């Protein structure tokens, strides 16, 4: 969540030194950082006696840092800490994470390919502003992909197959009770991935998960997190869906999926 203390300059980028909640920092250019756990970018030096078949440590560490930054930025998008319409510079974000600008820039480029941000030449990356229509379209596409798969699986899988997924459904309920949108988003996607994985189609899982992630980004101009009660209602649908799948109640499965995707 961000406060309203930052002043805007003529370019639309926030300037000054007003800090947001958490450890987010701003640089002098007006671009902002986000609250995050600091990640060290220093890599241990390789031992001279290391086997030449082992990849150099700096390469592994850099990939690890980039992945951690990408995960943190995705979580910040879901939580609304990266605000729609705002421009963020890689150096400012790197400072808030305690790393150089390079892994941040690489992670932001990945987010740009996913449609979460857009490049602003000589300034950084602007978080894309999204509307209700885009979310509705994503929900419709997800329904077209996931619902037929789940209905087919309901006809063929045993009760035990579905019961194996109950801990994941229960985890979404626990995450909803916490009220943190980012925590819930991870648990929500893990549950849906596990169901679709039962179909044995890796491409299906990858495409559906990408659509799911995009559907979790907050709306521009709206509250950055859904109310806890809404998250708990969403999680309750997961448990009810498992019950219907276990009972091979195709009518109930179809009705629950329609409600689930529409209510997102």
């Amino acid at each position: 969540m961000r406060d309203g203390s930052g002043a805007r300059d003529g370019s639309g980028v926030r300037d000054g030194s007003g800090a947001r909640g958490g450890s987010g920092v701003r640089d002098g250019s007006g671009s902002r950082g986000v609250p995050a756990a600091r990640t060290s970018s220093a890599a241990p030096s390789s031992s001279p006696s290391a086997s030449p078949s082992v990849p150099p440590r700096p390469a592994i560490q850099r990939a690890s840092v980039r992945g951690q930054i990408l995960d943190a930025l995705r979580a910040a998008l879901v939580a609304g800490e990266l605000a729609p319409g705002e421009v963020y510079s890689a150096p400012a974000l790197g400072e808030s994470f305690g790393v150089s600008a390079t892994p941040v820039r690489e992670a932001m480029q990945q987010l740009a390919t996913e449609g979460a941000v857009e490049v602003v030449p000589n300034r950084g990356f602007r978080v894309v502003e999204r509307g209700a229509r885009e979310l509705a379209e994503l929900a419709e596409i997800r329904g077209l992909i996931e619902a037929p798969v789940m209905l087919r699986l309901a006809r063929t899988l045993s009760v035990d197959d579905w019961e194996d997924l109950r801990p994941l459904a229960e985890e979404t309920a626990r995450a909803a009770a916490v009220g943190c949108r980012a925590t819930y988003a991870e648990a929500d996607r893990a549950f849906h991935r596990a169901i679709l994985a039962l179909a044995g189609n890796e491409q299906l899982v990858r495409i559906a998960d990408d659509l799911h992630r995009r559907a979790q980004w907050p709306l521009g101009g709206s509250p950055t997190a859904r109310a806890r009660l809404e998250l708990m209602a969403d999680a309750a649908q997961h448990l009810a869906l498992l019950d219907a799948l276990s009972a091979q109640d195709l009518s109930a499965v179809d009705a629950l999926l329609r409600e689930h995707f529409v209510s997102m």
Side-chain angles (χ1 to χ4, degrees):
M1 303 285 290
R2 61 192 182 97
D3 61 24
S5 61
R8 296 177 182 268
D9 62 15
S11 64
V13 184
R14 291 182 179 274
D15 60 6
S17 58
R20 295 189 301 157
S23 59
V25 298
R26 307 186 186 192
D27 64 5
S29 67
S31 296
R32 304 193 299 170
V34 297
R38 298 177 68 84
T39 305
S40 172
S41 60
S45 59
S46 301
S47 169
S49 59
S51 170
S53 63
V54 177
R57 290 286 296 170
I60 297 176
Q61 182 70 9
R62 177 172 176 177
S64 174
V65 169
R66 177 189 177 279
Q68 292 177 58
I69 297 299
L70 180 58
D71 289 342
L73 290 174
R74 282 173 171 164
L77 278 169
V78 172
E81 294 169 356
L82 289 176
E86 296 290 347
V87 177
Y88 298 85
S89 74
L93 290 169
E95 184 179 352
S96 69
F97 285 120
V99 301
S100 71
T102 299
V104 176
R105 189 174 291 109
E106 292 172 346
M108 278 294 202
Q109 291 287 356
Q110 174 60 35
L111 290 176
T113 66
E114 296 174 3
V117 301
E118 57 188 9
V119 178
V120 181
N122 302 318
R123 292 176 62 195
F125 301 85
R126 178 183 290 113
V127 178
V128 173
E129 298 188 67
R130 308 166 68 241
R133 177 174 179 175
E134 182 179 352
L135 283 182
E137 290 173 348
L138 288 169
E140 180 182 6
I141 296 171
R142 287 189 60 208
L144 291 172
I145 292 175
E146 296 189 35
V149 174
M150 292 187 192
L151 287 168
R152 187 179 80 237
L153 292 173
R155 298 185 182 96
T156 59
L157 297 185
S158 69
V159 173
D160 290 340
D161 291 323
W162 297 117
E163 285 304 308
D164 288 341
L165 302 185
R166 193 163 294 276
L168 291 175
E170 292 171 345
E171 181 60 29
T172 67
R174 286 190 291 270
V178 173
C180 173
R181 184 184 175 106
T183 301
Y184 183 80
E186 288 298 319
D188 183 26
R189 284 176 39 239
F191 174 73
H192 281 264
R193 280 198 308 267
I195 290 181
L196 295 177
L198 295 173
N201 188 326
E202 294 182 3
Q203 297 302 318
L204 168 71
V205 175
R206 184 176 296 111
I207 291 171
D209 191 54
D210 178 63
L211 289 169
H212 196 166
R213 178 185 290 114
R214 291 172 59 191
Q216 290 173 331
W217 299 335
L219 284 165
S222 73
T224 58
R226 286 188 292 178
R228 182 178 300 182
L229 289 178
E230 291 178 327
L231 294 178
M232 294 178 69
D234 194 69
Q237 290 176 350
H238 292 157
L239 293 165
L241 178 61
L242 270 187
D243 291 338
L245 289 166
S246 297
Q248 294 187 328
D249 187 340
L250 301 186
S251 296
V253 170
D254 184 62
L256 283 165
L257 288 174
R258 290 176 185 275
E259 181 183 359
H260 191 61
F261 288 119
V262 169
S263 63
M264 289 178 176

